[in-house]
Amino acid sequence: MTRLLFAVSALALAACPSFARDQIRIVGSSTVYPFTTAVAEAFGKSSGMKTPVVESTGTGGGIKLFCEGVGEDTPDIANASRPIKKSEFETCQKNGVTDIVEIKVGFDGLTIATSVADSDISLTKQQIFLALAKQVPDKDGKLIDNPNKLWSDIDPSLPKTKIEVLGPPPTSGTRDSFAELVLEAGALKFDSLAALKKSDAKAFEGVWKSIRTDGAYVEAGENDNLIVQKLEANPDALGIFGYSFLAENEGKIKAVKVEGQVPTFETIASGEYKVARPLFIYVKKQHIGQVPGIAEFVAEYTSTKAIGEEGYLADKGLIPLPADAAKESADVAKNMTPLSADKVM
């Protein structure tokens, strides 16, 4: 009888082998990184399991690693400051990552900030487009290489200082969101570009997605803390990052008004601040049961004590989901409902 039980157990283990790795591995967005790190620390303290390893690789870089396949050499979870793209989803499927669980965890306001030593500044999306786009329309609507060197070249009411904006690289979800929420909206303020969108959507996309490479925009990597340090050193420069980094560095930097509104916890939550975006984690369902603690970690992440209005992530700058959306995220986490292809844009 003992031998029979041993044989059955051995067969069961062989049918569902566990990975040698016993620690959750998470990659992805630098914006989501501080929130996931806080959850990882809370999980490590309360669960008795190892604290997950969290790496800041940028959204695009993280999803690329996540989609490389199934197995202990690939990440279990990817942080993202934008939804997964259709091309990324298809890459995942091709590589055998067939059960991806998308969980919305909160909102973030994209922040344009400057040193507290700098004078206050207010910008429109159209002005930001004119500062950062590789090509802009001339007075006749013809696209030309961006000639603006000073902010005052765009509008005489703006400072007579060199345009220098420190921001994320192309692998960053923050960069993608900034382009969509600010640069595309700014481009559409020009009649010629609005007409181009109608006549040739692909050409229009090429205009608003192309950021100048002549030094006015400086790629500062995936380390948002480095941008904060550079803003302190150069009071005339502006920086782009998530709201949580503004909240954490209030004594060092301050927000630039965008369309007359400053990003605050209240203005982002209410929708008044128009440069906000949802934040996600993506879970590799095929790793559940292989790496211990994934389901429990996700349950901690979607709990009221973490992402609720009074949760510990709100203290770190995460803008909570409305109650119905928070319940939906908790349900998806509990049931581990895979993302379907028709839901991916």
Side-chain angles (χ1 to χ4, degrees):
M1 186 66 174
T2 303
R3 288 181 181 178
L4 179 60
L5 288 172
F6 180 81
V8 171
S9 299
L11 285 170
L13 287 170
C16 186
S18 292
F19 298 158
R21 179 160 53 83
D22 62 353
Q23 192 171 24
I24 299 168
R25 183 184 170 208
I26 305 167
V27 295
S29 166
S30 62
T31 299
V32 185
Y33 172 81
F35 306 131
T36 300
T37 298
V39 177
E41 290 171 354
F43 172 78
K45 288 176 182 175
S46 64
S47 69
M49 300 185 205
K50 287 186 176 180
T51 300
V53 175
V54 187
E55 298 175 70
S56 177
T57 62
T59 296
I63 291 177
K64 183 179 180 181
L65 291 168
F66 180 85
C67 288
E68 283 183 349
V70 174
E72 62 189 60
D73 294 332
T74 63
D76 310 302
I77 296 171
N79 296 322
S81 56
R82 59 159 172 79
I84 191 169
K85 297 176 181 178
K86 185 177 181 181
S87 59
E88 293 168 333
F89 183 84
E90 289 172 349
T91 298
C92 263
Q93 301 295 306
K94 185 178 71 176
N95 291 337
V97 185
T98 54
D99 291 332
I100 304 166
V101 182
E102 178 186 80
I103 301 171
K104 189 182 294 185
V105 295
F107 291 98
D108 177 50
L110 278 177
T111 302
I112 301 174
T114 185
S115 164
V116 290
D118 197 7
S119 55
D120 291 341
I121 183 172
S122 180
L123 298 170
T124 66
K125 292 181 180 181
Q126 185 177 28
Q127 289 170 337
I128 297 168
F129 173 81
L130 286 171
L132 297 181
K134 190 171 186 177
Q135 290 192 311
V136 297
D138 64 11
K139 57 183 174 56
D140 298 318
K142 180 185 176 183
L143 283 170
I144 58 171
D145 290 340
N146 195 329
N148 300 312
K149 304 298 182 185
L150 308 176
W151 286 103
S152 55
D153 293 339
I154 296 169
D155 189 310
S157 67
L158 295 174
K160 292 182 178 181
T161 55
K162 178 184 173 185
I163 297 170
E164 184 176 351
V165 180
L166 307 168
T171 54
S172 170
T174 297
R175 168 85 163 250
D176 292 336
S177 296
F178 178 78
E180 290 176 13
L181 294 171
V182 178
L183 299 183
E184 182 180 13
L188 286 170
K189 296 293 184 182
F190 295 92
D191 292 341
S192 60
L193 292 181
L196 179 63
K197 182 179 181 179
K198 290 180 180 178
S199 64
D200 190 341
K202 196 72 178 175
F204 172 69
E205 183 178 340
V207 173
W208 63 262
K209 278 190 174 180
S210 298
I211 294 180
R212 60 197 298 185
T213 56
D214 58 359
Y217 182 87
V218 181
E219 290 184 7
E222 294 290 356
N223 186 347
D224 292 339
N225 286 312
L226 184 61
I227 298 179
V228 173
Q229 292 169 16
K230 290 186 175 182
L231 293 182
E232 288 186 280
N234 182 1
D236 291 334
L238 303 182
I240 300 168
F241 37 70
Y243 170 74
S244 65
F245 284 91
L246 175 70
E248 288 176 9
N249 295 278
E250 278 186 305
K252 301 174 183 177
I253 56 175
K254 61 184 177 182
V256 169
K257 283 185 178 180
V258 178
E259 301 292 350
Q261 194 63 256
V262 173
T264 65
F265 189 95
E266 291 75 22
T267 59
I268 297 167
S270 68
E272 293 174 75
Y273 185 67
K274 301 300 182 183
V275 195
R277 57 187 173 165
L279 304 177
F280 304 87
I281 60 170
Y282 288 92
V283 182
K284 195 175 292 180
K285 186 175 181 179
Q286 289 146 291
H287 280 196
I288 294 175
Q290 311 302 309
V291 177
I294 295 176
E296 293 85 350
F297 172 80
V298 174
E300 169 71 26
Y301 212 136
T302 55
S303 67
T304 302
K305 66 178 179 179
I307 64 171
E309 288 188 13
E310 305 296 327
Y312 58 79
L313 293 184
D315 293 337
K316 291 193 168 291
L318 182 70
I319 311 303
L321 298 167
D324 56 343
K327 183 181 183 303
E328 182 179 339
S329 287
D331 289 344
V332 170
K334 182 180 178 182
N335 299 317
M336 283 293 162
T337 310
L339 179 65
S340 58
D342 62 327
K343 300 291 185 183
V344 183
M345 302 297 288

